[in-house]
């Protein structure tokens, strides 16, 4: 009996049929810039613990924190501990925490300080020797993009951007990826000058959500939906991301950016791409991206932007039993600011599948409630063998993919009202994740961080996609920039009247999400 | 809410289930499968606890069948539990007496959910041939637990002899983490053949046999099994390679394992014992045949050499890694981690007040850099 062969591509202990075996990342560490930020505390650190708790991190996994704080490793440990206790999804287990905490290191540093990065390089080298992280390190830049250039240069200067031999270095960046096409290209040039394109992971946490991945399953694993997923049957598509909160403490950032750049450019256009794209030939990163890029490139803006876009700013009002101030009265917002907190637009897709089917995108702060959904609204049946009065209450059929909260799918169709009269009314049929599967679906960040460590890119947008979405948004932004005033809407409502008018022009109306 | 239905029929039970659903309202949840639990009265409550905990991940209808004495007249006692008493599931307990004991299938059939899979679970004594069992034959998946039998060796052989697609055992789910770590080690360089493997595990642990069987089938190298004391579970795995052994050791009762590899620093990793709930939930999450289990059970285990020597002898001869050394290494690694005791982090005051002044931070970086270069 000769032992089974083992090579880089052939591991006899793995078998595609073995669905129990989780994919565990190889030996590595994660260097986190911006550990004191909200995102790190609420999402990243808890996600790392949850991964460890699910047994998905490698033995010896280490976490290096980098921040402008005069801290010891233990102080950093305390910050992680508090974040984990408060925000982790899985139960706290002493032994998991213990094993994880052994790999915590902290580097006190200012971004323009060479010594700090020398220390980081030294720390990383020590980890390779002491904990066997094997020269594999991911750098997570949870910091404002203005610092990317400095940090990237520093990483290069201190020799951190290139691994030896088989080992890898990866960099993770968060949105915003620039504020228009030009700045996105600049930003990309900075990062790509230091890291190769396939080592750059752009995180759009929406893409890590189970529902978004399920959208692919829904469309391409079923026979039920794909035949009607085209202009023969679909009347229009509405993609909504509504938030009930205001801008919180992000005034400085938000006032520069506005709703469209903050949300439409990344999340909504990605959702549009996944909803509208053709079937990829496989689920590899390349074929998925190819399809997404194709559909983004086919997006056409309306000729008259004034008639088919809308924007607004929230004014003071009552939101969910609470009186809230208007946008211009928020701390840190210029009194005469014309930054939009609500944006809506019509987009058309010039492909055979979608010709004549408008996609309506909207997003806003301080709207009725927090909800993200994709609603595919179907045409009415061409002929109804019922009297007008019998179908008065019948709307258009719809398939709604609820991204958050309460992830799931709703279908709306007509049913007869019980009784001796023939009367057809809309009813809904619901599928909820929490009801049919685990009540604990993993957080988006868990999936994304694990994918970074495994080097598995399908869920991450490429630079080409980012550029394409800026090409769609830039003309709209330029058009808006010429306007001197901005519509307002009372907080807690579904946006300005102009948004309603925009839909009425097309003979349609916004769904109540 | 608990509804007792003594001396009843399945028709009554079905009717009552619908009525209870309407009363409670909240019961109108979608259920993805029916879990049929076949257990003696003595193990019933424990099994139901495990099943309803597992059902948090997979909302299901649990039909528990408790077989009573065969003598006397046929009788069916039923109990329905919903809401707080049943977790995320709805539970129907059926107690069978008299000649009915032979016909469990007839009472289970009307209570199965429409158009959804059926899973049969024997928390205690596994049947000789699960797939031929009347209830087992209806199920897509049959879960046994050979660890509950007095002698697992013969039990595993019986299971292997009658294996049918859909059979699985909780002892297999218990070693998933072990398998995951071992597989991930072989994902990395050096890519050398494993020439020999040694698994050490308790004499009452079928999981050790399955793990060894899996290694034997997949690695196609001699695999031997040494026995440690009872109730100690799987203790260690050693994979021999040309460059030196890979040792994965979890000292008895420990929840932390140590992975040692030639040319690399020892690494500690949390490897907690898996609870029955976790294992059961795992089993419920996939309903297709587990071919990897089949290979390990039917083709792997017969290849494994069970050594006569005890684990301590094997350790003394250097054939198996030493668990006490493993424990010592785990403690050393924890000590060496410069963060010190992880518990200290927990009790520490929140550090927010400390300086964020750039000069102070720069100084701290220089100080720390100097310290690292010195050491």
């Amino acid at each position: 009996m000769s032992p089974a062969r083992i090579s880089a591509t052939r591991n006899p202990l793995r078998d595609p049929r073995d669905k129990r075996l989780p994919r565990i990342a190889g030996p590595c560490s994660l260097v986190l810039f911006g550990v004191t930020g909200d995102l790190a505390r609420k999402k990243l650190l808890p996600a790392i613990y949850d991964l460890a708790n699910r047994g998905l991190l490698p033995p010896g996994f280490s976490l290096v924190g980098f921040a402008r704080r005069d801290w010891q490793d233990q102080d950093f440990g305390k910050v992680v501990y508090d974040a984990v206790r408060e925000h982790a999804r899985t139960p706290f287990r002493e032994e998991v925490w213990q094993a994880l905490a052994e790999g915590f290191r902290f580097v006190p540093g200012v971004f323009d300080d060479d010594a700090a990065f020398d220390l980081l390089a030294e720390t990383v080298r020590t980890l390779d020797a002491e904990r066997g992280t094997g020269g594999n390190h991911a750098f997570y830049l949870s910091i404002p993009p203005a610092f990317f250039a400095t940090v990237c240069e520093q990483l290069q200067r201190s020799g951190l951007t290139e691994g030896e031999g088989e080992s890898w270095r990866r960099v993770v960046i968060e949105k915003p990826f620039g504020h228009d096409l030009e700045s996105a290209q600049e930003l990309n040039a900075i990062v790509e000058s230091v890291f190769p394109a396939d080592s750059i992971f752009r995180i759009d946490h929406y893409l890590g959500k189970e529902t978004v991945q399920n959208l692919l399953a829904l469309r391409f694993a079923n026979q039920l939906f794909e035949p009607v997923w085209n202009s023969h049957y679909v009347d229009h598509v509405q993609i909504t991301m509504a938030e009930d909160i205001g801008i919180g403490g992000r005034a400085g950032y938000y006032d520069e950016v506005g709703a469209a750049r903050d949300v439409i450019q990344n999340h909504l256009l990605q959702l549009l791409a996944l909803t509208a794209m053709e079937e990829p030939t496989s689920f590899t990163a390349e074929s998925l991206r190819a399809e997404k890029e194709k559909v983004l490139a086919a997006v056409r803006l309306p000729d008259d932007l004034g008639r088919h876009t809308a924007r607004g700013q929230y004014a003071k009002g009552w939101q969910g039993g609470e009186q809230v101030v208007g946008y211009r009265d928020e701390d840190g917002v210029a009194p005469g600011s014309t930054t939009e907190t609500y944006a809506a637009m019509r987009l058309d897709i010039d492909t055979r599948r979608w010709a004549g089917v408008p996609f309506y995108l909207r997003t806003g702060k301080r709207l009725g409630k927090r909800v993200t959904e994709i609603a595919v609204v179907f045409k009415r049946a061409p002929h109804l063998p019922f009297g007008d009065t019998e179908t008065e209450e019948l709307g258009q059929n719809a398939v709604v993919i609820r991204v958050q909260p309460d992830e799931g799918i709703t279908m709306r169709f007509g049913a007869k009202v019980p009784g001796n009269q023939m009367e057809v009314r809309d009813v809904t049929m619901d599928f909820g994740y929490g009801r049919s599967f685990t009540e604990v679906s993993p957080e988006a960040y868990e999936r994304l961080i694990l994918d970074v460590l495994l080097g598995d890119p399908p869920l991450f947008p490429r630079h080409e996609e980012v550029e394409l979405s800026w090409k769609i948004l830039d003309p709209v932004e330029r058009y808006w920039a010429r306007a001197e005033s901005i519509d307002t809407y009372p907080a807690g409502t579904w946006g300005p009247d102009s948004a309603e008018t925009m839909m009425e022009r097309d003979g349609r109306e916004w769904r109540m999400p | 809410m608990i509804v007792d239905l003594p001396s009843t029929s399945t028709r009554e039970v079905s009717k009552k289930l619908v009525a209870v659903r309407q009363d409670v309202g909240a019961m109108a949840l979608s259920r993805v499968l029916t879990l049929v639990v076949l257990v003696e009265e003595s193990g019933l409550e424990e099994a139901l606890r495990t099943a309803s905990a597992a059902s948090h991940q997979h909302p299901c209808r649990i039909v528990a069948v408790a077989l009573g004495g065969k003598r006397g007249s046929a009788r069916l006692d039923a109990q329905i539990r919903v809401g707080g008493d049943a977790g995320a599931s709805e539970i129907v307990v059926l107690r069978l007496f008299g000649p009915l004991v032979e016909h469990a299938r007839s009472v289970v059939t009307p209570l199965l959910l429409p158009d959804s899979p059926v899973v049969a679970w024997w928390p205690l004594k596994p049947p000789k041939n699960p797939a031929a069992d009347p209830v087992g034959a209806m199920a897509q998946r049959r879960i046994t637990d050979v660890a509950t039998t007095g002698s697992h060796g013969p039990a595993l052989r019986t299971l292997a002899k009658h294996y049918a697609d859909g059979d699985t055992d909780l002892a297999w789910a218990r070693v998933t983490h072990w398998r995951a770590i071992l597989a991930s080690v072989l994902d990395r360089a050096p890519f050398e053949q494993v020439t020999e493997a040694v698994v050490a595990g308790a004499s009452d642990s079928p999981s050790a046999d399955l793990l060894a069987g899996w290694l034997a089938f997949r690695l196609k190298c001699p695999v031997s099994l040494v026995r440690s004391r009872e109730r100690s579970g799987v203790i260690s795995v050693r994979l021999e390679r040309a460059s030196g052994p890979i040792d994965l050791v979890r000292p008895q009762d420990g929840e932390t394992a140590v992975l040692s590899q030639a040319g690399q620093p020892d690494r500690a990793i949390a490897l907690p014992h898996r609870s029955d709930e976790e294992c059961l939930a795992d089993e419920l999450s996939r309903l297709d045949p587990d071919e990897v289990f089949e290979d390990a059970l039917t083709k792997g285990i017969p290849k494994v050499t069970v050594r006569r020597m005890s684990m301590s002898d094997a350790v003394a001869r250097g054939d198996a890694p030493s668990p006490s050394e493993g424990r010592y290494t785990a403690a050393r690694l924890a000590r060496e981690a410069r963060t010190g005791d992880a518990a200290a982090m927990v009790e520490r005051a929140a550090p927010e007040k400390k300086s964020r002044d750039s000069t102070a931070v720069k100084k701290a970086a220089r100080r720390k850099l100097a310290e690292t270069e010195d050491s």
Side-chain angles (χ1 to χ4, degrees):
Chain A
M1 183 165 66
S2 77
R5 267 189 323 116
I6 297 182
S7 69
T9 50
R10 194 174 176 288
N11 180 349
L13 294 185
R14 294 222 181 262
D15 185 328
R17 298 173 306 172
D18 197 346
K19 296 179 200 151
R20 286 170 198 266
L21 279 200
R23 298 179 310 163
I24 300 182
C28 61
S29 82
L30 182 70
V31 180
L32 184 56
F33 291 90
V35 283
T36 51
D38 252 14
L39 182 73
R41 239 166 10 92
K42 289 193 183 141
K43 298 287 184 189
L44 303 179
L45 297 173
I48 290 167
Y49 170 80
D50 288 332
L51 282 174
N53 207 357
R54 289 162 66 205
L56 300 179
L57 293 181
F61 175 81
S62 307
L63 176 68
V64 183
F66 187 108
R68 201 187 63 195
R69 293 287 189 281
D70 182 6
W71 282 352
Q72 300 297 318
D73 291 344
Q74 291 91 329
D75 294 315
F76 173 54
K78 172 68 180 170
V79 170
V80 185
Y81 176 78
D82 288 346
V84 167
R85 281 323 286 256
E86 205 174 329
H87 300 289
R89 180 176 66 80
T90 55
F92 188 80
R93 283 199 247 188
E94 193 60 44
E95 66 278 1
V96 174
W97 165 254
Q98 199 90 29
L100 188 65
E102 283 168 20
F104 292 165
R105 302 288 184 273
F106 183 76
V107 174
V110 186
F111 296 142
D112 55 11
D113 184 13
D114 287 358
F117 282 82
D118 292 342
L119 175 61
L120 180 62
E122 194 54 48
T123 310
V124 161
R125 247 192 307 279
T126 324
L127 284 176
D128 287 344
E130 280 177 6
R131 295 181 53 81
T133 42
N136 302 317
H137 305 282
F139 302 96
Y140 198 122
L141 309 188
S142 178
I143 52 174
F147 296 114
F148 282 6
T150 327
V151 172
C152 286
E153 275 161 29
Q154 285 283 12
L155 288 175
Q156 191 171 34
R157 190 195 57 78
S158 46
L160 281 165
T161 51
E162 274 166 44
E164 282 167 26
E166 297 278 291
S167 68
W168 50 258
R169 300 292 159 96
R170 298 187 182 125
V171 66
V172 186
I173 54 180
E174 285 264 351
K175 68 150 201 180
F177 312 121
H179 54 84
D180 58 13
L181 180 59
E182 200 184 325
S183 60
Q185 284 168 335
E186 259 170 48
L187 184 74
N188 187 57
I190 292 169
V191 185
E192 277 197 359
S193 68
V194 177
F195 290 96
D198 56 358
S199 304
I200 305 171
F201 290 76
R202 292 174 187 79
I203 285 212
D204 184 335
H205 67 272
Y206 258 68
L207 302 184
K209 287 212 182 277
E210 285 283 327
T211 326
V212 175
Q213 297 163 45
N214 191 41
L215 178 58
L216 301 176
L218 174 91
R219 286 192 58 198
F220 303 121
N222 294 306
Q223 180 72 330
L224 191 55
F225 301 103
E226 199 54 23
V228 296
W229 212 260
N230 56 50
S231 62
H232 292 297
Y233 298 98
V234 176
D235 180 62
H236 69 282
V237 178
Q238 297 185 13
I239 305 181
T240 305
M241 176 174 162
E243 287 174 282
D244 52 359
I245 50 166
I247 50 165
R250 296 163 69 218
Y253 162 73
Y254 199 89
D255 203 34
E256 295 282 302
V257 174
R261 288 191 183 112
D262 190 39
V263 174
I264 292 186
Q265 182 269 330
N266 36 59
H267 303 323
L268 294 197
L269 284 176
Q270 283 287 335
L271 292 184
L272 174 138
L274 291 168
T275 311
M277 71 181 188
E278 297 297 316
E279 183 171 12
T281 47
S282 72
F283 275 100
T284 59
E286 265 153 78
S287 20
L288 258 177
R289 279 170 184 157
E291 295 305 332
K292 283 202 283 179
E293 280 166 27
K294 260 160 64 185
V295 75
L296 285 174
V299 168
R300 175 170 53 84
L301 281 168
D303 297 328
D304 185 348
L305 288 173
R307 288 170 66 82
H308 296 293
T309 66
R311 58 182 206 138
Q313 211 174 51
Y314 62 83
K316 70 171 191 285
W318 286 83
Q319 159 119 59
E322 210 183 323
Q323 191 165 19
V324 295
V325 299
Y327 177 69
R328 290 186 190 181
D329 299 326
E330 298 268 10
D331 279 346
V333 174
S337 165
T338 56
T339 303
E340 83 278 1
T341 63
Y342 176 97
M345 63 183 67
R346 170 189 167 144
L347 298 175
D348 282 84
I349 297 176
D350 285 338
T351 61
R352 186 178 181 124
R353 186 192 281 262
W354 295 114
V357 181
F359 281 68
Y360 297 99
L361 271 47
R362 63 170 162 171
T363 181
K365 298 262 180 203
R366 288 262 185 249
L367 295 184
K369 64 175 177 190
R370 171 173 169 262
V371 61
T372 303
E373 61 166 40
I374 302 163
V376 179
V377 182
F378 290 88
K379 292 180 172 161
R380 284 177 190 279
H383 170 73
L384 291 170
F386 305 101
D388 283 348
T389 51
E390 291 165 349
T391 52
E392 252 175 343
E393 292 179 69
L394 177 66
Q396 287 166 280
N397 295 164
V399 173
V400 181
I401 294 126
R402 305 191 308 269
V403 180
Q404 72 173 14
D406 187 22
E407 308 191 344
I409 293 161
T410 303
M411 282 204 241
R412 188 178 67 187
F413 51 87
K416 183 184 171 301
V417 180
N420 46 18
Q421 273 175 330
M422 185 64 201
E423 200 186 328
V424 183
R425 183 189 289 171
D426 280 342
V427 292
T428 58
M429 195 162 81
D430 251 345
F431 156 75
Y433 263 86
R435 278 165 274 173
S436 289
F437 295 110
T438 126
E439 60 180 38
V440 281
S441 52
E443 262 284 334
Y445 276 105
E446 281 173 56
R447 172 70 195 268
L448 294 172
I449 292 175
L450 185 63
D451 281 355
V452 169
L453 301 181
L454 288 164
D456 197 14
L459 294 175
F460 300 92
R462 272 277 277 231
H463 181 58
E464 289 77 2
E465 289 166 58
V466 175
E467 283 190 9
L468 281 169
S469 14
W470 282 121
K471 279 184 193 156
I472 296 168
L473 197 60
D474 277 355
V476 181
E477 288 286 350
R478 277 200 295 275
Y479 173 81
W480 282 344
R482 286 202 293 275
E484 280 171 11
S485 66
I486 183 164
D487 301 331
T488 59
Y489 58 97
T493 64
W494 284 106
D497 293 339
S498 54
E500 301 297 333
T501 326
M502 169 192 136
M503 287 299 258
E504 277 163 24
R505 283 192 191 107
D506 292 353
R508 301 191 173 95
E509 60 178 6
W510 288 111
R511 248 177 66 83
M512 170 75 80
Chain B
M1 177 170 164
I2 296 184
V3 183
D4 274 307
L5 298 165
S7 285
T8 186
S9 68
T10 49
R11 181 192 302 234
E12 286 301 315
V13 178
S14 301
K15 253 174 145 174
K16 194 73 196 172
L17 258 176
V18 175
V20 167
R21 271 185 171 213
Q22 271 173 353
D23 286 355
V24 181
M27 288 291 90
L29 294 172
S30 39
R31 314 231 162 261
V32 290
L33 54 88
T34 313
L35 174 64
V36 184
V37 185
L38 298 138
V39 65
E40 290 151 31
E41 187 68 43
S42 61
L44 182 68
E45 286 306 320
E46 177 65 34
L48 285 180
R49 247 195 311 281
T50 308
S52 46
S55 75
H56 279 284
Q57 278 192 39
H58 309 277
C60 56
R61 175 181 288 176
I62 299 172
V63 179
V65 182
L67 303 181
K70 285 189 188 172
R71 273 181 290 173
S73 53
R75 192 175 98 229
L76 170 68
D77 286 356
Q79 190 182 53
I80 297 171
R81 303 182 195 178
V82 289
D85 301 302
S89 50
E90 52 192 17
I91 298 179
V92 183
V93 181
L94 303 171
R95 292 186 171 85
L96 276 49
F97 303 96
L100 192 56
V101 167
E102 304 282 342
H103 302 284
R105 181 187 184 137
S106 73
V107 295
V108 171
T109 308
L111 293 172
L112 299 178
L113 292 171
D115 205 12
S116 47
V118 179
V119 179
W121 175 40
W122 291 267
L124 296 175
K125 259 190 270 159
K128 277 214 159 57
N129 181 350
D133 180 277
V135 176
M138 288 192 294
Q140 276 74 40
R141 205 159 175 83
R142 292 164 292 273
I143 307 167
T144 50
D145 189 354
V146 285
T148 58
T149 55
S151 53
H152 69 264
L156 280 173
R157 275 193 293 281
T158 322
L159 211 56
K161 191 169 140 205
H162 297 291
Y163 176 86
D165 281 350
D167 285 2
T168 178
D169 197 281
L170 290 185
W172 176 240
R174 290 188 188 107
V175 287
T176 302
H177 284 329
W178 285 84
R179 297 197 300 124
I181 296 174
L182 293 171
S184 69
V185 172
L186 294 194
D187 279 341
R188 329 275 155 223
F191 301 105
E192 295 171 338
Q193 292 177 340
V194 176
T195 51
E196 202 192 334
V198 181
V199 176
S203 53
D204 61 348
S205 165
S207 298
D209 294 53
L210 285 166
L211 184 60
W214 175 66
L215 290 171
F217 180 79
R218 316 253 21 143
L219 296 174
K220 308 206 184 321
C221 69
V223 175
S224 52
L225 186 61
V226 292
R227 297 293 189 191
S228 59
R229 271 184 300 127
E230 279 190 11
R231 309 203 51 76
S232 52
V234 180
I235 298 277
S236 71
V237 176
R238 164 170 287 181
L239 305 180
E240 288 285 359
R241 296 195 292 191
S243 61
I246 302 165
D247 286 345
L248 181 61
V249 187
R250 179 179 68 185
Q252 185 183 353
D253 304 328
E255 304 283 314
T256 305
V258 172
L259 176 69
S260 343
Q261 230 176 307
Q264 291 195 24
D266 293 346
R267 283 173 290 202
I269 185 166
L271 185 59
H273 293 264
R274 301 191 84 192
S275 65
D276 283 358
E277 287 102 84
E278 272 176 85
C279 293
L280 185 62
D282 238 30
E283 294 298 342
L284 296 182
S285 61
R286 43 174 311 212
L287 299 164
D288 51 335
D290 190 341
E291 297 92 343
V292 180
F293 170 68
E294 179 189 357
D295 291 340
L297 176 73
T298 59
K299 299 178 194 151
I301 291 183
K303 291 198 176 90
V304 174
T305 324
V306 181
R307 299 242 195 117
R308 294 240 169 259
M309 68 173 85
S310 71
M311 183 180 73
S312 33
D313 293 341
V315 170
R317 281 177 42 153
D319 288 352
S322 149
S324 53
E325 208 160 285
R327 189 178 301 127
Y328 172 75
T329 313
R332 176 176 60 81
L333 287 174
R335 214 170 37 243
E336 273 178 6
R338 275 180 298 163
T339 35
D341 195 359
M345 285 179 199
V346 176
E347 283 148 22
R348 220 173 157 87
E352 284 303 330
K353 289 194 192 76
K354 287 213 181 178
S355 169
R356 39 172 104 174
D357 167 55
S358 295
T359 348
V361 173
K362 281 184 184 174
K363 256 190 210 156
R366 281 178 179 70
R367 194 174 59 230
K368 225 170 160 178
L369 188 59
E371 282 167 20
T372 5
E373 277 163 1
D374 288 347
S375 61

